[in-house]
Amino acid sequence: MEGLLEAGANLHIGHSVSNIQGNDGSRFPNAVVASSAIPQDNVEILHAKSVGVPIYKRDYWLAKLTEKYNLIAVSGSHGKSTTASMLAYVLKAMGDDLTAIVGAHVPQFPDGSIFYGGGKNFVLEADEYDGCFLGLSPSVAVVTNLDWEHVDIFEDEDAVKSIFRRFLKQIRVGGHLVICGDSQGARSLLDQIKQDTGLKYSGGVVSNQSSDLWGQGHDYKIITYGFSSFNDWYAESVCPNVQGGSDYILCERGRPLAQISLQIPGVHNVLNSLAVIATVLTLIGDKRQSHESIACLKLPLSKFMGVSRRFDLIGTIYGCHIYDDFAHHPTEVRAVLQAARQRFPNKALIAVFQPHTYSRLVVLKDDFANALSEADQVVVSAVYAARETNDWNINGKDLAASIIGPPSEYIPCLGNVVDKLALQILRDPHPEIVILTLGAGDVTTVGPKLLHELQTRSQDARH
């Protein structure tokens, strides 16, 4: 909000009919753009309708915003923000005067979550929530993976697949689909294209000749990436590096091309970087320049530091490393715990998890329990309700009781979580542990408060 104020936006806290009128009390806005979180009986929505002001949802607004650009829409159940920001960062470093909008804060973006340029390319994080990406007409669509996320919107995984199939129909004629061939959910989209077009596939995904084929009735080219060698672009010999990230050999259709180095941890970020490489080379188009282009993108890939709340280091004290991550789905929780193991193979991992929404917890409780079992100790807090009420009679205690393996504890209040962890660390002032606060809610406050508490007690002890 401070950034918006500095940019000249007129802000109001809370919703009121008076907010729809201009500063002089008589002017109305040209339009109202409403988030999916705003109900239709909202007072501002109702008043705008009554005076003839059009109401636009985000899908329509994003469509209008991007219609005259060469749109690169980065979609998928997980990894959208990191992939979109990495792509924008790399393109910018290679001299592209692009525009980009990412749904997260990116420390290496001067304006936090956007680039604003004069070029033709527009990189957009394309969200499936409430069908927000269905108004887009991308020249390049990226699908990082497909999973049953947003259980409050989608009845099951088939509903997610259905909306992604509708999204793919939005790709412009002559465009490109860049898709992870290793993702089971994404593969199902390819299988559907196979059924519709009769294209030849191997192993359930597009064959190595895929990027030379056009889908009949799907007038776009398909490029696949992943770890498996049947993909057009794939990584082999993946290994941890001294930066705490990953090194790998980039291959195209069986040919090793370059050594790639990342400083962000986890094999999921190797996949994200492959999506970026495939997309950049698709945009360049000239295969004769591919070696030169790969050489140019290696450096910005190695310098990319990630986005906020994605394995974000809060601080280190007493040998204890405190990280924060947005992970709020079992797939994401598992990925961040595996990334932490990669970076800290000899340290104990303590996961502090705040479930995000009751609907997600009731559907995915067992999957969360399995994912969290990869930690050495788990603390589960009360559910962050967001827009929901507890109609399912479920809470964090049910999840904590379901975790098999590591010791697990339910501590509803985040303040008490801070106190517990501070006492545990001070009992052994040089612990070999990593604390990960996980969730999309206010669990993000735990890390800074814990660090401050430990620093305060450390100063007190010295005095």
Side-chain angles (χ1 to χ4, degrees):
M1 292 184 71
E2 289 174 2
L4 287 169
L5 279 171
E6 288 172 14
N10 185 19
L11 299 186
H12 304 281
I13 307 298
H15 298 271
S16 167
V17 167
S18 62
N19 296 343
I20 295 296
Q21 297 174 323
N23 291 331
D24 60 2
S26 60
R27 290 176 55 248
F28 293 111
N30 293 350
V32 171
V33 182
S35 155
S36 298
I38 305 300
Q40 287 302 300
D41 61 356
N42 175 274
V43 291
E44 294 182 21
I45 300 281
L46 293 175
H47 185 62
K49 285 180 177 177
S50 73
V51 295
V53 175
I55 312 295
Y56 298 141
K57 284 184 65 177
R58 200 159 43 124
D59 55 352
Y60 178 85
W61 184 249
L62 290 173
K64 296 298 288 182
L65 197 65
T66 59
E67 63 185 358
K68 291 188 170 65
Y69 287 89
N70 184 51
L71 176 62
I72 303 100
V74 181
S75 71
S77 300
H78 317 291
K80 292 186 293 294
S81 297
T82 299
T83 303
S85 56
M86 189 190 301
L87 174 60
Y89 178 79
V90 169
L91 287 171
K92 187 76 171 176
M94 294 175 71
D96 190 335
D97 188 24
L98 79 160
T99 297
I101 299 179
V102 179
H105 182 265
V106 188
Q108 289 168 296
F109 282 20
D111 293 312
S113 61
I114 63 167
F115 278 135
Y116 184 66
K120 64 177 183 177
N121 288 330
F122 194 127
V123 173
L124 177 70
E125 178 178 342
D127 191 1
E128 75 275 17
Y129 187 85
D130 203 19
C132 280
F133 61 7
L134 293 179
L136 304 174
S137 297
S139 298
V140 180
V142 180
V143 179
T144 58
N145 45 59
L146 193 153
D147 209 346
W148 188 16
E149 167 66 310
H150 304 306
V151 300
D152 56 328
I153 291 285
F154 303 112
E155 184 180 352
D156 52 27
E157 190 168 339
D158 286 339
V160 182
K161 292 175 184 177
S162 175
I163 204 163
F164 270 89
R165 284 196 291 269
R166 290 171 61 192
F167 171 60
L168 298 191
K169 290 178 181 177
Q170 298 294 111
I171 300 174
R172 295 175 187 172
V173 172
H176 295 80
L177 169 61
V178 177
I179 188 166
C180 181
D182 287 358
S183 161
Q184 186 176 350
R187 276 204 308 271
S188 71
L189 300 178
L190 296 175
D191 291 340
Q192 186 67 46
I193 294 171
K194 171 188 173 183
Q195 232 176 11
D196 293 347
T197 64
L199 294 180
K200 297 191 181 302
Y201 291 60
S202 70
V205 301
V206 184
S207 71
N208 283 345
Q209 288 75 39
S210 63
S211 56
D212 293 330
L213 293 172
W214 294 72
Q216 301 156 6
H218 297 268
D219 295 317
Y220 52 80
K221 291 184 179 179
I222 301 168
I223 301 98
T224 61
Y225 68 90
F227 293 116
S228 305
S229 59
F230 52 62
N231 291 295
D232 295 318
W233 295 94
Y234 63 93
E236 64 178 21
S237 303
V238 180
C239 61
N241 60 29
V242 293
Q243 293 178 292
S246 301
D247 291 342
Y248 66 90
I249 296 171
L250 173 68
C251 300
E252 181 195 18
R253 299 184 184 179
R255 292 180 302 132
L257 295 180
Q259 176 91 20
I260 303 295
S261 185
L262 306 173
Q263 62 175 285
I264 50 178
V267 292
H268 60 293
N269 280 317
V270 172
L271 287 173
N272 292 338
S273 71
L274 287 169
V276 168
I277 292 167
T279 304
V280 169
L281 295 174
T282 295
L283 290 169
I284 291 170
D286 188 346
K287 290 187 177 181
R288 293 170 297 181
Q289 295 182 19
S290 62
H291 284 279
E292 181 184 331
S293 301
I294 291 168
C296 289
L297 60 76
K298 282 177 61 175
L299 182 60
L301 275 177
S302 69
K303 288 181 175 259
F304 181 68
M305 296 163 54
V307 302
S308 297
R309 298 223 59 212
R310 307 302 192 277
F311 208 74
D312 218 355
L313 178 62
I314 304 302
T316 300
I317 187 168
Y318 293 128
C320 168
H321 304 270
I322 304 170
Y323 283 86
D324 180 52
D325 196 278
F326 189 68
H328 57 285
H329 184 279
T331 301
E332 297 163 353
V333 170
R334 185 174 287 107
V336 73
L337 289 173
Q338 289 174 349
R341 285 275 183 228
Q342 174 187 320
R343 182 166 284 190
F344 301 104
N346 300 316
K347 293 184 183 291
L349 303 183
I350 300 178
V352 178
F353 180 63
Q354 181 186 53
H356 185 268
T357 71
Y358 299 104
S359 59
R360 184 181 281 113
L361 179 58
V362 75
V363 170
L364 301 175
K365 177 171 69 70
D366 292 343
D367 295 325
F368 276 123
N370 289 335
L372 288 164
S373 68
E374 299 199 18
D376 297 297
Q377 178 183 339
V378 181
V379 176
V380 180
S381 77
V383 175
Y384 186 84
R387 55 197 169 267
E388 293 184 346
T389 55
N390 189 3
D391 297 330
W392 297 270
N393 194 28
I394 192 169
N395 58 41
K397 187 175 184 179
D398 300 308
L399 173 58
S402 302
I403 298 168
I404 299 171
S408 306
E409 187 176 358
Y410 174 59
I411 304 178
C413 174
L414 293 178
N416 293 341
V417 173
V418 172
D419 293 341
K420 180 211 162 42
L421 292 175
L423 286 171
Q424 180 175 333
I425 292 164
L426 289 167
R427 266 191 250 115
D428 177 10
H430 297 286
E432 290 295 311
I433 63 172
V434 176
I435 294 174
L436 294 150
T437 57
L438 307 174
D442 56 354
V443 69
T444 189
T445 62
V446 168
K449 286 179 179 177
L450 175 60
L451 183 64
H452 179 263
E453 181 73 16
L454 293 171
Q455 288 170 337
T456 301
R457 297 195 187 192
S458 174
Q459 290 167 358
D460 290 345
R462 282 200 297 270
H463 293 312

